Amino acid sequence: MATNRTFTMLKPDAVEKGHIGAILEKISASGFKIVAMKLTQMTKHDAQTFYAIHSERPFFGELVEYMTRGPIVAAILEKENAVDDFRTLIGATNPADAADGTIRKLFANSISENAIHGSDSDENAAIEGAFHFSGREIF
Ligand code: IDP
Ligand code: MG
């Protein structure tokens, strides 16, 4: 069943380059309401847990280093068909393959440092949102 929420992180490369404002503007202009948001920094344990599904992949160590090297913006977003529409808005994992106008096409440099995260299913949106936010912060 489709829900109306997804979870996102503006990743360390996007924050380092000063793109928080421009990316949030694009998210808002695309019809997403920000339900919860914070600037935070993931610990190594956080990143290993969040990306546990990729733990056997050759890039896992690089991914954990990248995601912990500086602040991120974590947010929960609301919109009809949120998960699928947000994946469309951010574009393909590799910015070289991302469609024109997508956030990764505009703000990402490489498949590893690709500016932004978007949940890939309703189930993962709920898990990832709960990972970063307590119920008190959301409601
Ligand atoms: P997604 O973020 O588009 O859902 P995933 O395949 O779930 O892509 O990968 C999670 C993250 O791991 C990517 O966003 C990217 O930061 C990193 N990553 C994915 N594939 C590679 C790769 O081949 N080399 C290096 N980093 C990668
Ligand atoms: Mg993914």
Side-chain angles (χ1 to χ4, degrees), residues 11 51 53-54 57 59 62-63 66-67 87 90-94 104 111-114 116-118 120:
K11 296 180 175 182
Y51 283 112
I53 193 165
H54 295 305
R57 306 284 286 277
F59 59 81
E62 178 193 351
L63 176 60
Y66 159 53
M67 288 303 299
R87 291 289 298 199
I90 70 176
T93 305
N94 187 346
R104 282 170 167 166
I111 190 171
S112 53
E113 302 202 2
N114 58 3
I116 191 162
H117 170 82
D120 63 6

